[in-house]
Amino acid sequence: MDDRMDLKSFLRIMRRRAFTILITAVLVSVLTALITLFVIKPTYEATEYIMIGKQGNKDAYTESQEFSRTLASSIDVMKSPIVLNSVRGELNLQQEDLKSLQDKIALQNNKDSQIINIVVKDTDPQYAKRLAHTVASTSVNKINGLLKIKEVQLLSSSEDEVAVKRIGSPLLNIAIGLFVGLFLGLGLAMLREYFDDSVNSAKEVELELGLAVLGQVHLKEKRTFFRRKGRTTVAHHKKGGEVNA
């Protein structure tokens, strides 16, 4: 027997196992939707901005190497426990919350840019805005005090001006769950087909054995009616039909 599968065989299996594929896709999609809407909390991203050096001042940094050094030193200070411990104390956090605080904060800087982006991710949008603004204001104070860099500016005046947005989309997660469900359904259909040794049509006999089918017997269902004291009983039984050669 040839174990290879052509496109017609694959489509025939998909048509036969369409119910299995559909049910699997629907179940996975529903499960993904329930987890997305009721289990996983949405994540928000707040971004605060710090500018190093005065914009448009050509005399402040005449050499790009000096500016690069200043920018790198500022980022190092912002990542250091000096800033994080001050933020933790201002927000009344515990010492064990320091690692969690580090995981929520990310610093970004585009090439040849004077702007440092402070990105904070949290499930509470208001807390994310407050944390981003606190880190930014504390960083400005520490940079001014430790590096003696006076041209460091916080671009927002309060945490209400901090931009915040939601990360991810429930519809996207459900769509991904639908595609995953379809692939799982296809895999389950192929697995069921592999372990199914039954023959459902004469065409399968010809394909599996390579022999021509000479005849086929059709079984018809016959109903017999019996009347017993005012009620009718229907009896079902199978009867052999004609033989087609």
Side-chain angles (χ1 to χ4, degrees), residues 3-224:
D3 292 335
R4 294 177 299 178
M5 179 180 298
D6 56 12
L7 181 59
K8 290 184 178 180
S9 301
F10 178 77
L11 294 177
R12 184 169 58 253
I13 294 174
M14 295 302 100
R15 184 172 62 251
R16 185 188 311 158
R17 305 296 182 182
F19 182 77
T20 299
I21 298 173
L22 180 61
I23 290 297
T24 304
V26 171
L27 289 178
V28 174
S29 299
V30 172
L31 182 61
T32 303
L34 292 176
I35 293 176
T36 301
L37 297 176
F38 300 104
V39 177
I40 300 177
K41 294 182 179 180
T43 302
Y44 297 90
E45 184 180 87
T47 306
E48 183 63 285
Y49 304 93
I50 292 179
M51 186 171 68
I52 307 295
K54 292 182 179 180
Q55 189 174 7
N57 189 346
K58 298 181 180 180
D59 297 330
Y61 299 102
T62 56
E63 297 181 0
S64 60
Q65 185 177 4
E66 181 182 355
F67 173 73
S68 299
R69 248 192 337 261
T70 302
L71 186 63
S73 300
S74 301
I75 293 177
D76 289 339
V77 171
M78 296 170 66
K79 291 180 178 179
S80 68
I82 300 174
V83 172
L84 294 178
N85 283 323
S86 297
V87 172
R88 181 181 60 81
E90 187 169 346
L91 297 179
N92 296 322
L93 301 177
Q94 302 297 324
Q95 179 64 34
E96 54 269 16
D97 297 330
L98 187 60
K99 182 62 171 64
S100 176
L101 195 64
Q102 292 175 336
D103 297 335
K104 293 180 179 180
I105 302 172
L107 302 180
Q108 300 174 354
N109 174 250
N110 297 324
K111 185 179 180 181
D112 299 328
S113 174
Q114 298 175 254
I115 307 297
I116 300 176
N117 303 337
I118 302 175
V119 182
V120 174
K121 295 180 180 180
D122 195 79
T123 56
D124 185 355
Q126 297 301 323
Y127 179 75
K129 293 171 62 175
R130 183 185 177 189
L131 179 57
H133 185 74
T134 303
V135 171
S137 59
T138 304
S139 298
V140 170
N141 295 332
K142 295 299 182 181
I143 292 173
N144 288 336
L146 296 176
L147 301 180
K148 307 301 181 182
I149 302 175
K150 301 302 180 182
E151 297 174 351
V152 180
Q153 182 181 358
L154 180 60
L155 298 186
S156 60
S157 57
S158 65
E159 63 183 60
D160 294 332
E161 299 180 4
V162 178
V164 62
K165 64 179 181 179
R166 180 172 177 173
I167 302 176
S169 172
L171 294 179
L172 179 61
N173 294 338
I174 295 174
I176 294 175
L178 177 61
F179 281 105
V180 172
L182 287 175
F183 281 109
L184 289 178
L186 290 174
L188 184 59
M190 298 301 296
L191 188 63
R192 290 189 60 185
E193 186 69 21
Y194 179 79
F195 288 103
D196 187 5
D197 297 328
S198 62
V199 177
N200 299 310
S201 66
K203 186 68 174 178
E204 291 186 18
V205 176
E206 295 179 349
L207 292 176
E208 294 293 335
L209 302 180
L211 301 175
V213 177
L214 300 179
Q216 185 175 357
V217 177
H218 298 278
L219 299 179
K220 297 182 179 179
E221 185 178 22
K222 182 178 179 181
R223 296 183 179 181
T224 306

